[in-house]
Amino acid sequence: MPARERDFTAPTVQLLTPEGELRATPEAEAYLPLVEALDDATLQRFHRDMTVSRRLDVAGANLQRQGQLALWVPSLGQEAAQVGSAHAARPQDHIFPSYREHIVGMIRGLDPVRILALFRGATLGGWNPEENGNFHLYTLVLASQTLHSTGYAMGLQFDGAAATGDPEVDAAVLVYYGDGSTSQGDANEALVFASSYQTPQVFFIQNNQWAISVPVSRQSRSPLSLRGGGFGMPGVRIDGNDVLASYAVTRQSLEEARAGDGPSLIEALTYRMGAHTTADDPTKYRTDAEVEYWQQRDPIARYRTWLESRGASAAFFAEVDEEAADVAADVRRRALEITVPTREKIFAHVYSEPHPLMAEQAAWLDEFENSFDGDAE
């Protein structure tokens, strides 16, 4: 018996067309006031951050190819999804990334060298979220951060840190994950708990079309945004290469979450222009025609076209390019200065206070490693 024909579709919120024209789709018109309220400095900041992100990506990939990093995870092509959503968050919000949100961390105040140290193997954690804009640690185990974020959002509720009526105090949680992670049990369990407890939370799916070599069409027969409704929360699909749509929809969703209206889900349609990681060869599973299709929808190019139509000068873009090059050069220089941590660090932060078991294990390791000294004579 032939398979039944199904027509699963979802409208896409888009404010900025691939040609760089501000032309809102019907679903996007309600978000226009949020964009119109942005000043020129903020609009220019979007372009700066996307440009810096791309230059940092190139620097990270080069460092890995030169043997300075064990791995690099590119975000090339996903700049608009990340920059727009990151700027939508308030300082008191908590952000839970996967392992590709480099520019989100930088926007929240994280030194990108901390990310490079992680991929160099010089640290197991990387940074203290409290000191870096509540930007939590990278999670290499797919979708586990969705549960972490839901638990944290429940904690905000228990502490009375949301839905107080004061937007300057109320906090929400923003969690990033990819289309591949939506197939993990953790992601679905997180949605269950978030919906049940009506957590102040936004689930942000970066649908970059590929879970390593598995296309999203293999994972889901319907748009991922529709999963929100299946779990009892709003689901919105946006053009993830449109930084204005990313900002506006995430801003609205976070405001509703802080106010006590419960969680929501955003699917950002974007594309991973590079490899999944530097350990991957995408030419083995995707076509040149597909890559070219998405190159024509480049998030930085379309946004630059729009800024130019608003009067942004050539001097501004030259300044941004120079700044991005300087940031990348500085990050590269400092990455090469990263030193190997001493073995004492293994035991330093297992407990908050000195612990006899850690002292015992550290002494054993010293004795074990010193036992090899005589073999070298």
Side-chain angles (χ1 to χ4, degrees), residues 115-319:
I115 298 174
L116 296 177
L118 183 67
F119 289 121
R120 188 179 172 93
T123 175
L124 295 178
W127 53 86
N128 182 345
E130 189 176 14
E131 298 172 356
N132 293 278
N134 298 327
F135 183 74
H136 291 254
L137 303 184
Y138 271 8
T139 306
L140 299 180
V141 179
L142 289 183
S144 60
Q145 76 275 14
T146 60
L147 283 174
H148 302 162
S149 67
T150 301
Y152 204 97
M154 291 169 63
L156 291 177
Q157 284 182 313
F158 298 153
D159 291 344
T164 69
D166 185 350
E168 300 302 321
V169 174
D170 287 337
V173 171
L174 174 63
V175 57
Y176 292 92
Y177 58 114
D179 50 287
S181 291
T182 63
S183 298
Q184 297 287 328
D186 285 5
N188 294 280
E189 291 167 10
L191 290 168
V192 169
F193 273 83
S195 180
S196 297
Y197 284 85
Q198 286 294 283
T199 55
Q201 185 176 7
V202 175
F203 294 85
F204 194 94
I205 302 171
Q206 291 181 85
N207 179 359
N208 65 16
Q209 311 303 314
W210 290 94
I212 308 182
S213 59
V214 179
V216 69
S217 59
R218 184 75 53 83
Q219 299 178 75
S220 181
R221 299 288 185 181
S222 62
L224 297 174
S225 59
L226 297 182
R227 296 192 181 187
F231 286 92
M233 66 182 72
V236 182
R237 170 179 269 199
I238 68 171
D239 181 343
N241 284 7
D242 174 1
V243 69
L244 300 180
S246 178
Y247 166 80
V249 174
T250 309
R251 173 70 180 272
Q252 181 67 32
S253 299
L254 284 171
E255 289 182 351
E256 292 170 352
R258 292 189 211 97
D261 293 336
S264 59
L265 180 148
I266 298 171
E267 177 194 7
L269 287 174
T270 182
Y271 193 73
R272 190 194 76 215
M273 293 300 300
H276 174 70
T277 71
T278 47
D280 169 46
D281 181 4
T283 63
K284 293 185 178 298
Y285 54 81
R286 60 187 198 189
T287 65
D288 292 342
E290 177 183 315
V291 175
E292 182 180 355
Y293 172 87
W294 284 98
Q295 283 176 336
Q296 295 172 2
R297 286 152 180 78
D298 182 274
I300 298 178
R302 75 163 74 174
Y303 191 64
R304 174 170 178 154
T305 298
W306 182 65
L307 288 180
E308 288 174 336
S309 72
R310 288 172 49 87
S313 66
F316 163 72
F317 294 109
E319 176 191 331

